[in-house]
Amino acid sequence: MCGIVAISGIDRAAEHAYLGLYALQHRGQEAAGISTVAADGQAHLHKAHGLVVEGFRDETLRQLPGDLALGHSRYSTAGGAGLVNTQPIVVRYHAGDLALVHNGNLTNAGTLRDELVRAGALFQTTVDTEVIVHLIARSRAGSADEQVLEALGQLTGAFSVLITVGRTLYAARDPWGFRPLIMGRKKNGYVFASESCALDLIGAHGRYSIAPGEVLKIEDGRLERLPALRGAEHAAPCIFELVYFARPDSRLWDVAVDRARRAFGRQLAREHPAPADCVFSVPDSSNSAALGYSEESGIPLELGLIRNHYVGRTFIHPTQHGRDLGVRIKYNAVREVIQGQSVIVTDDSLARGTTSAGLISLIREAGAREIHFRVASPPVTHPCYYGIDMPTKEELIGARLSVEQIRRHLKVDTLGYLSLAGMHAAVAEHGPFCDACFSGHYPSPLVDLKYGHLAGRDRADS
Amino acid sequence: MCGIVAISGIDRAAEHAYLGLYALQHRGQEAAGISTVAADGQAHLHKAHGLVVEGFRDETLRQLPGDLALGHSRYSTAGGAGLVNTQPIVVRYHAGDLALVHNGNLTNAGTLRDELVRAGALFQTTVDTEVIVHLIARSRAGSADEQVLEALGQLTGAFSVLITVGRTLYAARDPWGFRPLIMGRKKNGYVFASESCALDLIGAHGRYSIAPGEVLKIEDGRLERLPALRGAEHAAPCIFELVYFARPDSRLWDVAVDRARRAFGRQLAREHPAPADCVFSVPDSSNSAALGYSEESGIPLELGLIRNHYVGRTFIHPTQHGRDLGVRIKYNAVREVIQGQSVIVTDDSLARGTTSAGLISLIREAGAREIHFRVASPPVTHPCYYGIDMPTKEELIGARLSVEQIRRHLKVDTLGYLSLAGMHAAVAEHGPFCDACFSGHYPSPLVDLKYGHLAGRDRADS
Amino acid sequence: MCGIVAISGIDRAAEHAYLGLYALQHRGQEAAGISTVAADGQAHLHKAHGLVVEGFRDETLRQLPGDLALGHSRYSTAGGAGLVNTQPIVVRYHAGDLALVHNGNLTNAGTLRDELVRAGALFQTTVDTEVIVHLIARSRAGSADEQVLEALGQLTGAFSVLITVGRTLYAARDPWGFRPLIMGRKKNGYVFASESCALDLIGAHGRYSIAPGEVLKIEDGRLERLPALRGAEHAAPCIFELVYFARPDSRLWDVAVDRARRAFGRQLAREHPAPADCVFSVPDSSNSAALGYSEESGIPLELGLIRNHYVGRTFIHPTQHGRDLGVRIKYNAVREVIQGQSVIVTDDSLARGTTSAGLISLIREAGAREIHFRVASPPVTHPCYYGIDMPTKEELIGARLSVEQIRRHLKVDTLGYLSLAGMHAAVAEHGPFCDACFSGHYPSPLVDLKYGHLAGRDRADS
Amino acid sequence: MCGIVAISGIDRAAEHAYLGLYALQHRGQEAAGISTVAADGQAHLHKAHGLVVEGFRDETLRQLPGDLALGHSRYSTAGGAGLVNTQPIVVRYHAGDLALVHNGNLTNAGTLRDELVRAGALFQTTVDTEVIVHLIARSRAGSADEQVLEALGQLTGAFSVLITVGRTLYAARDPWGFRPLIMGRKKNGYVFASESCALDLIGAHGRYSIAPGEVLKIEDGRLERLPALRGAEHAAPCIFELVYFARPDSRLWDVAVDRARRAFGRQLAREHPAPADCVFSVPDSSNSAALGYSEESGIPLELGLIRNHYVGRTFIHPTQHGRDLGVRIKYNAVREVIQGQSVIVTDDSLARGTTSAGLISLIREAGAREIHFRVASPPVTHPCYYGIDMPTKEELIGARLSVEQIRRHLKVDTLGYLSLAGMHAAVAEHGPFCDACFSGHYPSPLVDLKYGHLAGRDRADS
């Protein structure tokens, strides 16, 4: 996954993009990039490995002039770790400097790439996003608007994109609307971001959710709506954004993430009650769900697990210490809460199950009498081809084992997953949603998979 | 403040000390150091600026051989930022290699230093801890035990210390017991740490709290109790450790921190009720207090503020953005929780009040109808001379303004502080405690202050 | 200027390329890059700012597998300092992975780039080298051989290039042969490099100088000669390589650089004798010329200037110190040699004249009675469009002032430049040479200059 | 070995010390340190690993205020690589802040250290220099002058020291005068440095060589001579400084280093003539000797070996390449000079002989017909206890093998060492000198060695 942001018509646009990326850091920590366009239409670019606060300094931002900016924070290391594979992609073509950031994953990138290469195109990266850039540059259409529309019209899969051609900004979501994209205003300028929390930090007001297939254009301070992209039978925003990915203080598609998770937690309490002394979350990802469970069930909320704030990427793994050390450096159990108690532990979702197993052994050691494990989403059973970086099918515990087998594997007294129907019901007024990772039903065609191109994980860079 | 740890009789002691410091990182982020003693009695040392994960790599730990280790994480930048001022202090003296880590602040260090310097002692640092080392080295007593006891007996103020002389480990707390020090076992070895959360991560069991004035010695795997240090009328452990400083999953002085904070929150609800729609915390420091308040008052708990996990020390402060940016990059308000509501916000304590003011403006902007601000401790009115790095008296809002003036300054509808009596009552079974920062009553004599030496903040390095 | 190297058919090719770049470090210190091709035809790439020893570690080289490698060290910062502008350029096109390194400067890159962009090509860099890559990819010719030949046939200006297409290596020099390119053998493999000193360090034997216009191909260990590039009336290797740029222990075009410089020095002694006590060089660039001058004139050689070995790029320029500090941190005068003496100082060439002026003031201060300054090449009067990074015409002292004016400017007693005819005579058996920077006669057409494209310095990146 | 520098009475003294250390970089590359004393008498300190240009930036120097500074560049890694072992040593004692830099090696440091430790002194480093600091601090003498004199009077071995006590500067050499120390003036200020080349770069004039045993004091801009240190039968400056260590553009003890080396070369030609075609040096350390040999013998000088300017400390040693790679990355042979010739190669001295063996194999491969190896000093046969970091006796080829055996080991046609008598004769007017490494005659008593303390290499840090 990735986070994207665009600023138009605001002085020191790079600084605003920086704040936006900072708020979207949870969507990608591997690398960050910002491009700007100065008054003369020339693009400037800086990319760096690591967190946005590590890669951007005052002087870096000062060297990115202009009131028009794109920003990108990158999650996956697929496609190779080199900076060449990070975004924004900035190129020079006949209509001027072109820059592009992309959140999502295309399902026909391999097929399109083959055609482009046969026609003499040079690819400098291994990310699917570069295909979009080539399609725009090769379009024979007469205007930049038409070139962009023609290029986007050829894509299948997930794409929220922000594009600058010279001093014009385009913002678009794929016809299915898999990934979020929100627009706000600051004074006379426009701000786009993957989630509303970025608009909060930038100080932008208004929370317009770009519609599936919608293409917006901002030029000389005027907003224009271009003809929509078509091809989807119905909208299919990704429900996993609500389950896990987005920040709880964000709104996506007019859904407050915290409220959605609270509703999942309440529904979970109805579906899988347990006669326990207390309920607590795996902080912070299931805080909302635990609170919902507590509200619905009347079982007191507790703080049973504490999260270390200093978890770094460079932790040394000493040799003598047990296999759960990876979990222990991140979490500690509060013995006073747990000892001798029957506890309900909520988690947001279960992919590999390794962290959960470690947590449960921690809770056991702290003296829990009974552990009732509750997952606020259904079993993850299928890979995502639309941009969520899931483990392979072989690694997904929900694809390999039955719920009872998982319960025994995790060594818990009871295990309850939210049902697929229950999940949809909890957010029914905002649906329908894409639930492919839980159901295997893929709304946008998997073109590359059909024609034997690698898709999914290997190109899931954005 | 600082965190300290010692390992005795466990292979690869440096790795265990590393884990301990990692768990104590919240007690000091400026620098970290580990010393070890190999089988030949020789001391090895590595110190580095920044977080422990930044300063220690696999190869660093491998170059610290032995089964006896001390570790220190440093908070304050007072005493000069140079590495020379960080701990462990390691010196060669006539009884062998001597290493020492210290948590706390001495109140007669300046006076003792003057005497030592007049006698020809060379000081290489500006931290008060070096005084202890010189007192040991200059002692004319016949054994290392007596030298250590003689040196510690001359000190006033706060000191939890861990000392190695050759292959012998000493652990001691000052007679007032200001700072915590906990002992656990791992196999045949011993582990000491400022808080029990470090013992959890190291995998040590047992939670013995060293008593005020107690001096322990471990040699050849045998634990021995030396004659206790005297001079205190009564024990006076620091209540601010329970209010704010310690981790909620720690036990100190047989008090579970989470339980103490929960009790503060419940007492706060009794003293300062409010007719509100919900209560929420400033995460994560007042999570326990908010839960206690909710439990006692029956007012529903909410998640009204979200904390950014990627707060770094290198954040760029763009020029255009308002004065509250420092708060906004750390917290965001959840509009859906707050809009149109009357809310109770709990905080653990109030020193300068700057962060609180920023948070309240954030909550106001998110649409709160009424804000009832509740502080789970009394107003901070006096500096700490025992090791907590407080603002100066001029900066302490509680020392300058009345509660009503603070309410107006913060622009909240009502403001309630936990009373001094209420705070003590909540943890009465574990007291008495030092409450100097709230009351101005200092249990250990402020010798340097009396004789005109700088004390308090300027030397508050440990 | 740049240094280039290629390895074919030798295990751990990246290590050999590293050694080659190390030996060619004098040709470019700004950045270095190595690409390799593994057995599967896939290209791997690492680029880094700074010296090759700074940017490449053991693990970097291990991550560059294969027996086929290209290397590049970059001098100029023109074209922007970003790593995207450094080489090798690696792209994916329809015939596989394509990598290219280039030494020299094209004189029709701007014109070709315009045509390519109009046809939909995307440029990701601002260096002229990218044009070559696009020409190859867009060629409609049926084989990689023909594509490469067709692309190179469209270029004017200076290019020694090394190209890998899949596992095939191509090596070529432009028809004028401006820049050197030498081939040697190591066991069954082939080694190409800008100068023979790189072959020495790699341990390759044989010193074949690729002919002007020659195109070689190595596939499956077999060397093949492709049809030569045409268009030059006569060969025109750059005489400035012999005057200054190449290392004295290198052979280029079957000329030993040390011998050429010695001959320049002898001819200089014949043209501009002086009745002095001793002759010394500006170390190390004019050591050979000074020795030649001494041999021919019979005037004793001395060591009058000492060069500091620790000159770094990060030297701090203190404020109080005089304007010659830049010279003084690099050189010191030996007072015992100079005091009271009449001295002849040789230098290899004179561009801006700033360093020379500083040196002469140093020598004056050391007590020289008379200074006879001798330059082992003619006045530099014209910019180079073929890859030498000269100052602009306005900065060239030889273009602005007469020899007598320069003498007065430098404050020397006599000044003598080697004559143009004398320079050519000294190396007559190896000529003709390009002497454009001394004569203004440009052998290859300056297409971009004619059509108003920026040429010369601004794109002189390789 | 080390380089030391002091500045007194010159604004921005730290910048001047920086320049001085830069010029003395050849005396120590492991670490560098500068201390200054501001107008209030307080000492400031910065130390860093690596070259002075790496460890000191503009802002570092700005944080070292005052017109009084000491600087130190450290060579040896003995005593442990930690920064704690680097200089200046800065301590607080009863007479104020005390800072000290030391070049040389004490021969009774271990014995003195034992006494001090028994009296309660704490040692924080493992370098012998710390002993001097303790002796000053413990002195019962009434004035700082007497304390310094009393402390220095107890030392044996080699010490050129620069000391600040408050705002007073002391400069002294041991009674034997092993290590150099030169004084110059800049405006009203004073500059001290190990070699005159540092005074050249600082822009100081005058070259006063502090006499053996001389102690100077500068206070309030006035220079005063304190009573001299006694104990030496005769002066014994280190002849190895002239042979190898000092820079050729320096003057030490009124000897121009270049002239001394030229005289060694001429004497070598007289003692060991050879019927060869040319003579060349191992650059740059034997350039002077080669020139002297050429002058005396009439055999033409050549440039047969070229030195790479980019030799770094981080060079990767690829696995496939031969054992001489360490030599080859530093030097290359010029085939045109060597092929088919009978050559004389001069070197300054021979310790282990490993580099020489590598060079000779390089020269052989370049086609030399005959190699006559000439060493411009006698065989090194004994360790140095006065500060030169020699290999151990077991590693010294001159201590293990006869000249004929060494000739066979090096595989040269003839081998000639300068005789001990010839060496002294060449610089007779400046003697006598210490020649202990060549003769085994040690002029200052080896106290520690006698009493079983480790001396020599293990503590040879300065």
Side-chain angles (χ1 to χ4, degrees), chain A residues 7 23 46 58-59 81 97 106 127 141 178 203 231 240 244 254 303-304 306 311 347 350 389 404 436:
Chain A
I7 308 293
H46 181 73
D58 274 327
E59 64 269 27
D97 282 2
L106 304 181
V127 295
F178 287 107
F240 203 75
Y244 167 76
D254 302 320
L303 304 170
I306 297 297
V311 173
D347 210 343
L350 213 62
D389 195 37
E404 172 57 18

Side-chain angles (χ1 to χ4, degrees), chain B residues 114 125 144 160-161 211 245 288 290 314 327 361 375 383 390 432 441 448 451:
Chain B
D114 280 1
T125 77
S160 286
V161 288
F245 212 82
S288 296
T314 51
V327 169
S361 107
V375 185
M390 288 282 185
H441 173 73
D448 285 352
Y451 291 104

Side-chain angles (χ1 to χ4, degrees), chain C residues 11 44 96 140 167 243 246 278 280 282 290 299 361-362 382 392 413:
Chain C
D11 276 354
H44 300 255
R140 292 287 153 210
R167 293 193 42 75
V243 165
C278 65
F280 56 80
V282 178
I299 296 172
S361 107
L362 215 70
H382 288 77
T392 62
D413 296 282

Side-chain angles (χ1 to χ4, degrees), chain A residues 58 251 262 302 316 336, chain B residues 58 251 262 302 316 336:
Chain A
D58 274 327
R251 275 184 94 79
R262 196 78 66 84
E302 272 289 353
I316 298 163
E336 285 69 25
Chain B
D58 273 327
R251 275 184 95 79
R262 197 77 67 84
E302 272 290 351
I316 298 162
E336 285 68 27

Side-chain angles (χ1 to χ4, degrees), chain D residues 15-34:
Chain D
E15 288 183 7
H16 289 77
Y18 171 85
L19 288 177
L21 291 183
Y22 179 80
L24 298 175
Q25 191 75 79
H26 64 290
R27 295 182 76 86
Q29 297 97 44
E30 297 301 322
I34 294 176

Side-chain angles (χ1 to χ4, degrees), chain D residues 4 6 160 162 171 173 179-184 191-197 199 206-210 250-254:
Chain D
I4 60 175
S160 287
L162 296 162
R173 281 174 80 206
R179 300 287 143 231
L181 188 59
I182 319 288
M183 181 180 76
V191 179
F192 292 83
S194 296
E195 300 183 24
S196 67
C197 64
L199 276 60
R207 299 283 174 273
Y208 176 72
S209 179
I210 316 302
S250 282
R251 275 185 94 80
L252 312 175
W253 320 306
D254 302 319

Side-chain angles (χ1 to χ4, degrees), chain A residues 12 15-16 29 56-58 200 249 251 256 262 284 302 307 309-310 316 318-320 332 336, chain B residues 12 15-16 29 56-58 200 249 251 256 262 284 302 307 309-310 316 318-320 332 336:
Chain A
R12 299 177 184 245
E15 287 182 7
H16 289 79
Q29 297 97 43
F56 286 79
R57 305 290 152 125
D58 274 327
D200 291 341
D249 51 332
R251 275 184 94 79
R262 196 78 66 84
D284 288 335
E302 272 289 353
R307 192 167 179 272
H309 288 165
Y310 301 97
I316 298 163
T319 41
Q320 285 196 317
N332 195 16
E336 285 69 25
Chain B
R12 299 177 184 247
E15 288 182 8
H16 289 77
Q29 296 97 45
F56 286 80
R57 304 290 150 126
D58 273 327
D200 291 340
D249 51 330
R251 275 184 95 79
R262 197 77 67 84
D284 287 335
E302 272 290 351
R307 192 166 180 273
H309 288 163
Y310 301 99
I316 298 162
T319 41
Q320 284 196 317
N332 195 16
E336 285 68 27

Side-chain angles (χ1 to χ4, degrees), chain C residues 90 133 277 318:
Chain C
V90 176
V133 170
D277 298 311

